[in-house]
Amino acid sequence: MNRFGLILAKSYMNKIKSKSFLITTIIFTLVIIGATNFQSITSLFEGSGDGDEEKWQVVVYEEDTEIAGSLSDQVAILNSSIEVSGGEAGRVDLEEQLENGEFDALLSISMTEAGRIDAEYLSASLTANSYSVDLQAALQTIQSNMAANRLSLSADELATLNMPVAFSQAAYVDSAKSAEELDQARGLVYVLIFVIYMSVLIYSMMIATEVATEKSSRVMEILISSVPPIQQIFAKILGIGLVGLTQIFIWAIVGILSVNLSSDTLEGGIYSLFDFSSGSISTIVYGIVFFLLGYFLYATLAAFLGSLVSRSEDLQQVLMPVNILIVGGAMLAFFGLAEPESGYITVTSYIPFFTPLVMFTRVGMLNIPFWEPAIAISLTVLTILVLGWFGAKVYRGGVLMYGNSSSLKDIKQAVQLSKKEKS
């Protein structure tokens, strides 16, 4: 056990002291601070709000209509950043003025015999599409008012015609989550899926890289004769896992502090989907459980695959199946956020290599019986133990293999070398 602790401590300290650890920790810390203060940062690039900011100037060219004044009043209600004025020249001249940069956009308006407004919006770029959307909404309101006047409809009658349908949803199963609870759960699950996916991907690669690096320096030949392979594998896995937990702990503390300091700005919009104040404790607990399961599963697989290569440059090829499995699980999990009750989501949630992401999605989005995640967790733990047992055999023989080969076919050769070395 003392040797196990030495390998664990060595793996942990080497990564903690590395430049890559410091750089990634700092970069993601800045990303977290930027994301939680996004609204405050973007406000620095906007106008001061005192009315002196530059407005989007729109000139209206009308054909047999007189609605430019009404449009200006209506747009002022929707977006104060748009300034609408009537054109005093022909369309050709106005287009020439637009090209010369005298204003930002030209809006040509005509009226059909049926009383419909036809409008054409012309500008140098369509990237500022929010302005055209607001102009379209204002014209829609004007057209509705004009139609109401022709039909002698009162303001209340017109409001009734435009009134949206009251549509509510409810589940007849008492344990089913409400729409609001689903929205809140979706935000939390989305974040945790991303954390699990990135952590498993990054730290599995880190373990495989360390194994390949030590193998290239011939250190493995000494270790393999003094420390059982199974202890070496899990010592490295735990060591790198502690590195990952250290980083995640730092980012969590930074995130919590940043959110608390920015709580007055994180309101509405996309932030409404990330209301963690009412998040389920069980969802967070499951998130931790599935994070650990995913890490140990893929880290064990990456460790013995990394022992097959002699150069770190060959890791990408041998780890390709691992990356495909991780990406596949993430894609299924993100699809499951929209349709967590789908048959393919249910089936794949019991496949150990997909369980950490897909079953977690189902647990977070649905109120499923406890036995379902329990079975999936048991299958995943069993798979980890089998991979650890088989991986130790591959690891023992793999570290004794040298050369440029990095094919998965070398697993058989590694097992054979393990048997010879053991005998």
Side-chain angles (χ1 to χ4, degrees):
M1 183 59 68
N2 187 35
R3 294 173 180 175
F4 177 89
L6 289 175
I7 296 176
L8 188 153
K10 177 179 178 296
S11 300
Y12 178 77
M13 295 306 299
N14 285 347
K15 293 300 179 183
I16 287 292
K17 296 178 180 179
S18 65
K19 293 182 180 179
S20 60
F21 175 85
L22 296 176
I23 292 174
T24 55
T25 302
I26 293 173
I27 289 176
F28 277 96
T29 298
L30 294 176
V31 169
I32 293 172
I33 295 175
T36 53
N37 293 274
F38 182 75
Q39 294 180 349
S40 300
I41 294 173
T42 54
S43 65
L44 298 176
F45 299 93
E46 297 175 354
S48 59
D50 56 1
D52 295 333
E53 65 272 14
E54 185 177 353
K55 294 189 175 183
W56 186 260
Q57 296 181 343
V58 179
V59 172
V60 177
Y61 171 74
E62 298 183 87
E63 294 181 3
D64 302 327
T65 61
E66 296 181 358
I67 62 176
S70 300
L71 179 62
S72 178
D73 295 337
Q74 193 66 38
V75 168
I77 299 174
L78 297 175
N79 192 336
S80 60
S81 298
I82 302 177
E83 180 180 325
V84 178
S85 60
E88 299 179 355
R91 176 164 178 167
V92 175
D93 294 334
L94 290 175
E95 289 181 357
E96 185 177 348
Q97 294 175 16
L98 174 63
E99 294 176 0
N100 293 333
E102 297 184 21
F103 48 87
D104 298 306
L106 175 63
L107 184 65
S108 300
I109 301 175
S110 62
M111 186 75 69
T112 65
E113 295 181 359
R116 187 189 70 185
I117 296 177
D118 281 349
E120 180 183 355
Y121 181 81
L122 185 64
S123 65
S125 174
L126 298 180
T127 55
N129 57 357
S130 61
Y131 297 130
S132 62
V133 171
D134 291 332
L135 288 168
Q136 184 178 0
L139 288 172
Q140 182 65 50
T141 301
I142 293 173
Q143 180 173 273
S144 298
N145 291 333
M146 292 172 63
N149 290 333
R150 288 196 302 270
L151 298 174
S152 301
L153 296 177
S154 65
D156 293 337
E157 291 172 333
L158 178 61
T160 302
L161 288 175
N162 296 325
M163 186 181 299
V165 175
F167 188 84
S168 61
Q169 301 182 71
Y172 64 86
V173 179
D174 294 336
S175 60
K177 294 184 178 181
S178 65
E180 182 179 356
E181 290 174 334
L182 284 175
D183 287 338
Q184 294 172 350
R186 186 173 288 108
L188 177 59
V189 171
Y190 184 90
V191 171
L192 292 179
I193 287 175
F194 183 77
V195 171
I196 294 173
Y197 166 70
M198 291 301 299
S199 300
V200 169
L201 189 65
I202 293 174
Y203 299 122
S204 296
M205 184 66 182
M206 192 179 294
I207 290 173
T209 302
E210 179 168 339
V211 172
T213 301
E214 290 185 353
K215 181 181 175 181
S216 63
S217 64
R218 299 297 178 107
V219 174
M220 286 298 190
E221 294 183 0
I222 301 175
L223 290 176
I224 202 69
S225 60
S226 58
V227 182
I230 192 70
Q231 290 190 22
Q232 290 190 46
I233 288 180
F234 283 101
K236 292 181 182 299
I237 290 173
L238 287 175
I240 302 299
L242 290 176
V243 173
L245 291 177
T246 301
Q247 279 189 319
I248 292 174
F249 178 76
I250 293 173
W251 295 332
I253 295 298
V254 171
I256 292 172
L257 293 176
S258 186
V259 167
N260 288 334
L261 294 175
S262 309
S263 58
D264 56 332
T265 61
L266 301 182
E267 298 178 356
I270 190 173
Y271 294 112
S272 62
L273 299 178
F274 298 91
D275 183 9
F276 301 144
S277 59
S278 57
S280 173
I281 299 299
S282 63
T283 302
I284 298 176
V285 172
Y286 273 120
I288 296 173
V289 170
F290 285 114
F291 164 77
L292 294 175
L293 287 175
Y295 170 74
F296 278 104
L297 179 67
Y298 284 103
T300 305
L301 186 59
F304 80 76
L305 289 178
S307 66
L308 297 176
V309 302
S310 302
R311 302 181 306 169
S312 58
E313 293 83 358
D314 298 327
L315 278 175
Q316 289 294 339
Q317 180 180 347
V318 77
L319 291 180
M320 183 63 69
V322 179
N323 295 334
I324 292 175
L325 288 173
I326 297 175
V327 173
M331 292 180 65
L332 287 169
F334 288 131
F335 288 144
L337 288 175
E339 299 178 355
E341 295 177 314
S342 299
Y344 71 94
I345 295 297
T346 302
V347 172
T348 53
S349 67
Y350 292 101
I351 300 176
F353 291 104
F354 299 144
T355 291
L357 292 167
V358 182
M359 180 57 79
F360 174 64
T361 301
R362 294 185 63 220
V363 169
M365 297 298 296
L366 304 172
N367 287 324
I368 60 178
F370 174 75
W371 61 266
E372 292 193 30
I375 290 176
I377 290 173
S378 301
L379 290 174
T380 306
V381 171
L382 179 61
T383 303
I384 293 172
L385 294 177
V386 172
L387 281 177
W389 170 78
F390 180 72
K393 295 180 177 296
V394 177
Y395 188 88
R396 178 188 291 271
V399 296
L400 299 176
M401 295 169 52
Y402 293 92
N404 296 327
S405 178
S406 59
S407 172
L408 293 179
K409 296 179 181 179
D410 295 333
I411 293 178
K412 182 178 179 181
Q413 182 181 353
V415 173
Q416 293 174 346
L417 284 175
S418 175
K419 293 179 179 179
K420 293 179 180 179
E421 193 272 337
K422 188 174 182 180
S423 60

